């Protein structure tokens, strides 16, 4: 392109800017708003997906937490001691360690007696930091108020769940009593006759969130925590003198090798803890993986919405550019007649279009930045460390490149192809004729307006009246397909949330004992006619190839019945003692495949008979694991893709005999999964199991003190994993996405129909001259719109269903759920009917305009 061509183009731009500025402004606004929404959605998806990692990094997290009960590394009755702390700090692979202690701290009633209700006995755990744990390491996230001053012994914070259970609020002064173990065993404990060893009037200064409780499943709801300051923790340790005010010690370990060093440090710590101490390991890695799986659907939904919005921006922008360039065809023809060359003609109007594209793209980036405070979405948002405006330069840069490069290329291509001499050349080479579709419609005997409408929809025409019908039909197909795919994906998500078997709960109820489900309950289950099958399991953490993994040990089952077990995704369930089934995430974590072998061990030789020596097992399958076991704020438990399932046959004979001993408190499984017969009402089945639990409670009460007295048996319904609990945060996203796609389709189709009517003004004038009435012209435009909609429905619906099912299956496998895609027939039918109705509604305005246009003016313009 020469300098002369550019001067002519600039002159034409200045001379015609006032006439074209409305078109330029429309392009700027469309690209800016739709493109900004697209870039904002993609940026929000990235920010949401990385939100937990950003939050966790801000807390100075431990890689491994260890809870030690009954004794510490020194063997003393008080878990914490400076010498024990030094021993832990000098373990191989440990970079830094901080600690906290649990307290026998109970809120006091107005009469000075301790509150001994459910909220204070087991549901809440008082914890005092010793040297900074929860204040400098594993820092608590404040959701209301402020964090307690570490140097003030009379300030506390607690989780929102604890405050709700206890009925406390921020700013309240709460009298707490610290009690010794001896006091708690006195007959008068719980009355004013046993005053606390020490009283603290603690002010609740804030509500907090623990990093490993940001995303919780139903198993994690309790216990919840009350946090006392390091100042109080040191005072308790200094004045306790072995009286037992302090209980367990919690160590937070930061490791030299990060999460990869957890297994080695766990083994070292187990050697350090004296025999008889109960310890629980809790690694940070599985928590992050669980949160990532929870956030993934929301991030995917936002990313898909952003991609669709970007595609819409390109399509709508392309239509606006095409319409504006075609509007200048007559001027270009005059320029061509005056001797202007192809370069001059191509440049005419192109500079303005490119300027509008660049301006709109910059506006889109500004819109994306303005939308950034709305992210991240999901459960991490209340504790996100850097809320507010964010500049995701990767998304902004890529978005600008896509918008400017894509629309710029489209504009140049359309300007090049729209040059008068090329249009004339293509017109000479194109054979005129009638579409077979139009011939078929005419042969079917349909009214003339319908035939004309179909011709307008499928025949592009020639010369100045040519219309890009293929792009309009393709746009209708894409719009319907994307909406149907979105609805199908949303149906899969709703099915997952509403069908527990898809996320590992492949039974109706669970019997959960404080320590075990006694033989009396198992015998009653075998005689309950409402129960078709049951299986008992023990749960604990064991090592697989040196990594701590939560286990389900199958203990007993209904005689002669197949086991009630988690749904198998691949392979088969455990049938022999030398086999193991793993969660899909655990299988990937261990870098194994079905058919490989793993080495399982539990405890150390000094823990015999509670010791499983290294045992080689064959991986025979993967399963969607249920969310059962320890609360994950204390230790890891099975959930979705995490965990292992084995037979009790791997345990040594001495351990099995000990567990079956009549005087053992472990003579029954920890859990029993119960499946009811088909047709049994849920209420009736629950009532029967509750009667069994009452019998078990009476059996526990009859056991001498210390052998199981005080234990209880509860009946639990569905225990949802964290992924399912938190999917409610995206419950409306599929519907909003479908609505946005439908709106985009309406806008795009409306612009296409308006442009088509405008381009067909000569045909319209001729039809009116031939006697077409206003109603017939409006009917022709409506038939044109209906033809586009029907094409979109016939092709787009099956394509959308196939795409939605494929996307859902891919997604379900990523979150380790059972892949069971569903097709929402009613919703798909409504989408089809809605598409047909909406395009006719959109066509009503241009159809009415077409019918009222004056024939003489149109023909004079031609």
């Amino acid at each position: 392109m020469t300098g002369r061509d550019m001067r002519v183009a600039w002159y034409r731009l200045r001379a015609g800017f006032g006439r074209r500025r409305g078109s330029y402004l429309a392009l700027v606004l469309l690209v800016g708003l739709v493109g900004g929404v697209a870039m904002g959605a993609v940026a929000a998806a990235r920010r949401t997906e990385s939100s937990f990692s950003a939050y966790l990094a801000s807390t100075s997290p431990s890689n491994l937490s260890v809870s030690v009960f009954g004794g510490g590394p020194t063997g003393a009755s008080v878990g914490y001691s400076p010498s024990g702390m030094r021993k832990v700090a000098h373990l191989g692979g440990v970079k830094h360690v901080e600690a906290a202690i649990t307290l026998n701290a109970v809120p006091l009633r107005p009469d000075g007696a301790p509150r001994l209700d459910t909220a204070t006995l087991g549901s809440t755990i008082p914890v005092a930091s010793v040297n900074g744990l929860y204040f400098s390491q594993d820092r608590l996230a404040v959701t209301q108020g402020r964090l307690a001053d570490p140097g003030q012994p009379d300030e506390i914070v607690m989780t929102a769940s604890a405050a709700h259970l206890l009925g406390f609020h921020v700013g309240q002064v709460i009298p707490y009593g610290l009690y010794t173990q001896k006091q708690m065993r006195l007959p008068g404990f719980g009355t004013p006759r046993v005053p606390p060893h020490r009283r603290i009037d603690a002010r609740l200064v804030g509500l907090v969130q623990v990093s490993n409780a940001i995303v919780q499943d139903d198993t994690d709801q309790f216990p919840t925590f009350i946090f006392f300051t390091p100042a109080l923790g040191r005072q308790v340790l200094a004045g306790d003198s072995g009286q037992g005010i302090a209980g367990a010690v919690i160590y937070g370990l930061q490791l030299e090798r990060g999460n990869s060093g957890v297994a080695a440090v766990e083994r070292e710590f187990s050697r350090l803890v004296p025999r008889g101490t109960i310890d629980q390991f809790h690694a940070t890695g599985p928590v992050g993986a669980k949160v990532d799986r929870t956030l993934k659907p929301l991030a995917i939904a936002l990313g898909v919405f952003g991609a669709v919005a970007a595609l819409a921006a390109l399509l709508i922008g392309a239509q606006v550019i095409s319409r504006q360039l075609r509007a200048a065809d007559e001027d270009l023809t005059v320029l061509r007649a005056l001797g202007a060359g192809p370069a001059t003609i191509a440049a005419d109007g192109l500079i303005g279009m490119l300027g509008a594209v660049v301006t709109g793209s910059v506006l889109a980036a500004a819109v994306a930045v303005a939308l950034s405070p709305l992210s991240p979405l999901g459960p991490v948002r209340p504790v996100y460390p850097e809320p507010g405006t964010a500049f995701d330069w990767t998304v902004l840069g890529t978005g600008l490149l896509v918008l400017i490069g894509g629309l710029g290329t489209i504009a140049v291509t359309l300007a090049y192809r729209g040059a008068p001499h090329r249009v004339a050349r293509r017109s000479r080479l194109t054979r005129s004729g009638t579409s077979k579709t139009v011939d078929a419609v005419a042969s079917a005997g349909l009214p003339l307006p319908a035939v004309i409408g179909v011709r307008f929809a499928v025949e592009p025409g020639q010369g100045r009246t040519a219309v890009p019908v293929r792009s309009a039909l393709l746009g209708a197909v894409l719009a319907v397909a994307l909406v149907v795919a979105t609805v199908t994906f949303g149906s899969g998500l709703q099915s997952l949330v509403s069908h527990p078997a898809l996320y590992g709960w492949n039974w109706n109820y669970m019997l959960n004992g404080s320590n075990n489900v006694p033989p009396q309950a198992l015998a009653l289950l075998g005689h309950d006619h409402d129960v078709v099958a049951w299986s008992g399991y023990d749960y604990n953490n064991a090592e697989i190839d040196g990594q701590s993994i939560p286990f389900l040990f199958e203990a007993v089952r209904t005689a002669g019945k197949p086991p009630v077990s988690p749904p198998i995704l691949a392979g088969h369930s455990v049938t022999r003692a030398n086999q193991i089934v793993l969660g899909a995430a655990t299988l990937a974590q261990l870098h194994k495949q079905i058919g490989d072998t793993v080495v399982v061990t539990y405890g150390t030789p000094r823990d015999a008979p509670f010791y499983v020596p290294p045992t080689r097992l064959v991986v025979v399958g993967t399963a969607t694991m249920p969310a059962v076991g320890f609360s994950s704020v204390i230790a890891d438990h099975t959930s979705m893709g995490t965990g292992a399932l084995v037979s009790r046959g791997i345990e040594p004979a001495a351990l099995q005999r000990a567990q079956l001993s009549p005087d053992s408190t472990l003579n029954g499984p920890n859990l029993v999964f119960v499946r009811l017969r088909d047709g049994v009402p849920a209420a009736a089945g629950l009532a029967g199991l509750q009667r069994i639990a009452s019998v078990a409670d009476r059996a526990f009460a009859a056991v001498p003190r210390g052998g199981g007295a005080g234990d209880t048996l509860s009946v639990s319904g569905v225990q949802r994993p964290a992924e399912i609990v938190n999917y409610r945060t995206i419950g409306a996203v599929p519907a909003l996405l479908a609505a946005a796609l439908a709106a985009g389709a309406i806008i795009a189709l409306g612009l296409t129909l308006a442009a088509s009517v405008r381009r067909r003004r000569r045909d319209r004038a001729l039809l009116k001259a031939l006697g077409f009435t206003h109603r017939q012209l409006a009917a022709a435009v409506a038939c044109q719109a209906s033809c586009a909609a029907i094409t979109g429905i016939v092709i787009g619906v099956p394509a959308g269903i196939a795409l939605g099912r494929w996307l859902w299956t891919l997604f379900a496998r990523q979150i380790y759920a059972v892949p069971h895609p569903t097709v929402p027939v009613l919703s798909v039918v409504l989408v089809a009917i809605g598409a047909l109705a909406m395009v006719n509604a959109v066509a009503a305005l241009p159809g009415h305009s077409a019918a009222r246009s004056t024939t003489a003016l149109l023909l004079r313009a031609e």
Side-chain angles (χ1 to χ4, degrees):
M1 184 179 295
T2 64
R4 177 178 175 275
D5 297 330
M6 289 298 300
R7 288 194 297 272
V8 173
W10 276 110
Y11 171 77
R12 290 270 301 161
L13 174 64
R14 294 192 302 272
F17 182 80
R19 180 165 49 91
R20 299 179 179 178
R21 63 184 178 186
S23 302
Y24 294 150
L25 179 60
L27 181 59
V28 168
L29 292 178
L30 281 172
V31 173
L33 296 179
V34 181
V37 170
M39 294 163 66
V42 174
R46 285 166 49 87
R47 201 178 191 189
T48 297
E49 188 174 21
S50 63
S51 59
F52 184 74
S53 298
Y55 158 71
L56 192 63
S58 71
T59 66
S60 184
S62 301
N63 303 107
L64 178 67
S65 298
V66 188
S67 302
V68 180
F69 302 85
T74 62
S77 60
V78 176
Y80 179 85
S81 70
S83 61
M85 187 74 172
R86 286 192 294 271
K87 289 183 179 182
V88 175
H90 287 92
L91 287 176
V94 174
K95 180 173 63 175
H96 183 68
V97 60
E98 293 186 358
I101 53 175
T102 61
L103 299 175
N104 295 327
V106 186
L108 302 177
R109 300 199 305 256
D111 62 358
R115 281 180 53 178
L116 299 182
D117 51 24
T118 303
T120 59
L121 298 178
S123 295
T124 57
I125 298 179
V127 176
S129 179
V130 175
N131 60 342
L133 189 64
Y134 305 125
F135 288 83
S136 58
Q137 184 174 314
D138 291 329
R139 279 192 298 271
L140 300 168
V142 179
T143 58
Q144 183 180 343
R146 62 175 175 85
L147 192 62
D149 185 343
Q152 297 295 325
D154 59 350
E155 291 187 355
I156 62 171
V157 293
M158 62 181 64
T159 65
S161 299
H164 177 73
L165 283 172
L166 296 169
F168 297 152
H169 59 82
V170 174
Q172 182 177 353
V173 176
I174 307 163
Y176 261 92
L178 301 183
Y179 292 87
T180 66
Q181 289 290 343
K182 182 179 179 180
Q183 287 178 309
M184 296 178 69
R185 289 193 294 266
L186 292 174
F189 179 69
T191 68
R193 296 198 308 271
V194 181
H197 179 78
R198 177 178 177 179
R199 175 183 171 125
I200 302 171
D201 290 324
R203 182 179 296 276
L204 178 60
V205 298
L207 301 182
V208 296
Q209 185 65 283
V210 187
S211 61
N212 59 6
I214 294 297
V215 172
Q216 292 184 309
D217 54 35
D218 288 342
T219 306
D220 301 334
Q221 291 183 1
F222 304 107
T224 187
F225 293 91
I226 300 133
F227 296 96
F228 293 81
T229 63
L232 180 66
R234 289 191 291 267
Q235 289 181 10
V236 169
L237 291 174
D240 190 8
S241 302
Q243 297 183 72
I245 294 177
V249 58
I250 303 170
Y251 294 99
L253 285 71
Q254 293 181 335
L255 309 182
E256 294 175 350
R257 294 172 52 200
N259 292 337
S260 61
V262 166
V265 173
E266 285 180 354
R267 290 192 294 270
E268 291 292 322
F269 198 99
S270 296
R271 298 188 185 101
L272 183 64
V273 174
R275 183 175 181 177
T277 298
I278 302 174
D279 61 298
Q280 297 294 342
F281 296 104
H282 184 59
T284 302
V287 175
K290 179 170 68 174
V291 178
D292 288 342
R293 289 195 300 271
T294 302
L295 295 175
K296 184 179 294 184
L298 187 53
I300 290 176
L302 289 170
V304 170
F305 178 79
V308 171
L311 179 61
L314 292 175
L315 291 176
I316 295 174
Q319 289 184 353
V320 174
I321 291 171
S322 175
R323 186 168 68 250
Q324 297 308 317
L325 290 177
R326 287 177 180 272
D329 282 353
E330 296 180 1
D331 292 344
L332 297 181
T333 302
V334 174
L335 286 176
R336 176 65 175 168
L338 293 175
T344 301
I345 293 175
D348 186 77
L350 187 59
I351 295 178
M353 286 291 109
L354 292 178
V357 166
V358 172
T359 304
S361 301
V362 173
L363 176 61
V367 170
V369 173
L371 292 174
S372 62
L374 300 178
S375 64
L377 303 181
V380 185
R381 179 177 174 82
V383 296
Y384 191 67
E386 298 178 358
T389 303
F391 293 84
D392 189 331
W393 296 112
T394 300
V395 172
L396 295 177
T398 303
L400 288 172
L401 181 63
V402 169
L403 291 177
I404 296 175
L407 292 177
T409 301
I410 290 172
V412 172
T413 302
L414 291 176
Y416 177 82
R417 289 177 54 83
H421 63 288
R422 292 186 177 86
V423 173
R425 187 184 303 127
R426 288 198 302 271
S427 299
R428 289 193 299 269
L429 296 176
T430 301
R431 296 175 58 187
S432 61
T434 304
S435 168
K436 293 181 179 180
T437 303
V438 177
D439 292 339
V441 171
S443 301
L446 293 180
L448 186 58
V451 177
I452 297 297
V454 172
R455 185 176 72 83
F456 282 175
V458 302
E459 290 185 0
Q462 296 182 0
R464 292 178 295 168
T465 61
V467 176
V469 297
R470 285 188 294 269
S471 63
L473 295 176
L474 178 61
V477 170
L478 288 176
V480 172
L482 289 174
V483 173
V484 171
T486 303
V487 171
T488 303
F489 186 92
S491 174
L493 182 60
Q494 293 300 322
S495 295
L496 172 64
V497 172
S498 59
H499 291 77
L502 300 181
Y503 53 81
W505 195 262
N506 200 19
W507 43 87
N508 300 97
Y509 292 102
M510 177 179 72
L511 299 182
N512 187 3
S514 302
N515 287 306
N516 66 93
V517 179
Q520 294 90 333
L522 301 182
L524 290 173
L525 281 175
H527 293 90
D528 191 327
H529 294 291
D530 291 340
V531 176
V532 66
W534 58 268
S535 291
Y537 292 85
D538 291 330
Y539 59 83
N540 215 316
N541 284 9
E543 287 191 359
I544 302 181
D545 291 350
Q547 299 188 45
S548 179
I549 303 295
F551 268 69
L552 287 178
F553 297 84
E554 184 189 356
V556 290
R557 70 173 77 161
T558 313
K561 297 286 187 178
V564 178
S565 61
I568 300 297
L569 294 176
H572 62 83
S573 189
V574 172
T575 58
R576 298 179 182 177
N578 68 334
Q579 296 177 346
I580 185 172
V581 168
L582 299 176
T586 299
L587 187 73
Q589 175 186 340
L590 297 171
H591 306 290
K592 296 291 185 178
Q593 297 179 348
I594 294 177
D596 292 346
T597 59
V598 295
V599 176
V600 175
T601 184
Y602 174 72
T604 63
R606 60 182 177 175
D607 299 321
F610 299 96
Y611 167 60
V612 176
T615 304
R616 191 170 295 276
L617 302 179
V618 179
V619 180
V620 296
T622 61
T624 297
M625 306 297 289
V628 295
F630 301 109
S631 169
S632 69
V633 297
I634 298 175
D636 299 328
H637 62 68
T638 60
S639 181
M640 292 288 275
T642 302
L645 175 65
V646 296
S647 168
R648 177 171 274 182
I650 72 167
E651 298 174 344
L655 175 56
Q656 295 185 38
R657 287 194 298 270
Q659 292 173 329
L660 296 176
S661 174
D663 59 351
S664 172
T665 59
L666 297 176
N667 57 357
N670 299 139
L671 307 170
V672 176
F673 301 146
V674 181
R675 184 176 294 150
L676 302 178
R677 296 184 185 277
D678 291 339
V680 174
L686 177 60
L689 295 178
Q690 287 175 336
R691 288 193 293 270
I692 293 175
S694 298
V695 173
D697 289 343
R698 290 195 293 271
F700 282 131
V703 176
R705 186 176 179 85
D711 288 349
T712 59
L713 182 65
S714 62
V715 182
S716 302
V718 176
Q719 300 291 291
R720 299 168 299 170
E723 294 87 343
I724 303 302
V725 171
N726 288 279
Y727 283 171
R728 65 179 182 269
T729 61
I730 66 166
V733 170
L736 292 175
L737 179 56
L741 290 174
I746 292 173
I747 293 173
L749 187 56
L751 291 173
T752 301
L753 288 175
S756 177
V757 171
R758 189 187 198 89
R759 296 290 294 179
R760 301 284 192 183
R761 59 184 181 270
R762 182 172 180 272
D763 295 335
R764 188 171 66 249
L766 291 175
L767 289 172
K768 293 189 72 173
L770 292 174
F772 260 54
T773 65
H774 292 178
R775 180 175 298 178
Q776 288 176 315
L777 284 176
V781 175
C783 290
Q784 177 184 356
S786 298
C787 183
I790 292 172
T791 302
I793 292 169
V794 171
I795 301 176
V797 166
I801 291 174
L803 177 62
R805 288 174 60 89
W806 178 78
L807 287 174
W808 174 250
T809 300
L810 179 65
F811 170 74
R813 288 173 177 166
Q814 288 180 335
I815 63 171
Y816 314 116
V818 177
H820 181 68
T822 58
V823 178
V825 177
L826 179 60
S827 297
V828 171
V829 171
L830 291 177
V831 168
I833 295 175
L836 191 60
M838 288 179 181
V839 296
N840 277 279
V842 170
L845 183 60
H848 180 72
S849 175
R852 294 179 61 87
S853 300
T854 303
T855 304
L857 292 177
L858 290 173
L859 293 178
R860 184 182 303 166
E862 292 294 321

